[in-house]
Amino acid sequence: MADTVFTWAIANLERETADGFVFVAHDTVKANDGTYSAGAYGSLGFERPDNLIPFADLTEEIVIGWVKDQFGAEKVAEIEAALQSQIDEQRNPTKAAGVPWAAVAA
């Protein structure tokens, strides 16, 4: 069983056109263990900082850092744990659907 890899990304940013202040980041988190995968999407708002980084100078890594800092380590761990639970459920299902009288395809 492979370790799960979590990949954080920024899907989009919302900013003020006057000065480039980013006030919302739309983020995705993907989890993949090589066989199974799960994902989450979220949006997070920011308060105006004292020192703005010019919009053109932003990188995805900078904004992911903002998102993770805003969430805090505990929430980041909670999000990743929830995705891990989804992968664990795919790997070893605890629930199923169907009726017992229907023929099961081989």
Side-chain angles (χ1 to χ4, degrees), residues 10 20 30 33 36 38 51 58 60 70 74 85 94-96 100:
I10 302 301
K30 295 181 181 170
D33 73 353
Y36 300 102
N51 298 308
L58 291 177
E60 188 170 33
Q70 181 94 352
E74 188 174 316
S85 292
T94 60
K95 299 171 185 71

Side-chain angles (χ1 to χ4, degrees), residues 37-82:
S37 63
Y41 177 91
S43 298
L44 190 62
F46 302 109
E47 293 186 18
R48 180 179 290 276
D50 293 332
N51 298 308
L52 284 178
I53 298 173
F55 185 76
D57 293 344
L58 291 177
T59 64
E60 188 170 33
E61 290 74 25
I62 289 171
V63 181
I64 289 169
W66 293 351
V67 167
K68 287 183 172 183
D69 286 348
Q70 181 94 352
F71 276 138
E74 188 174 316
K75 182 67 174 175
V76 168
E78 183 181 307
I79 291 166
E80 291 181 355

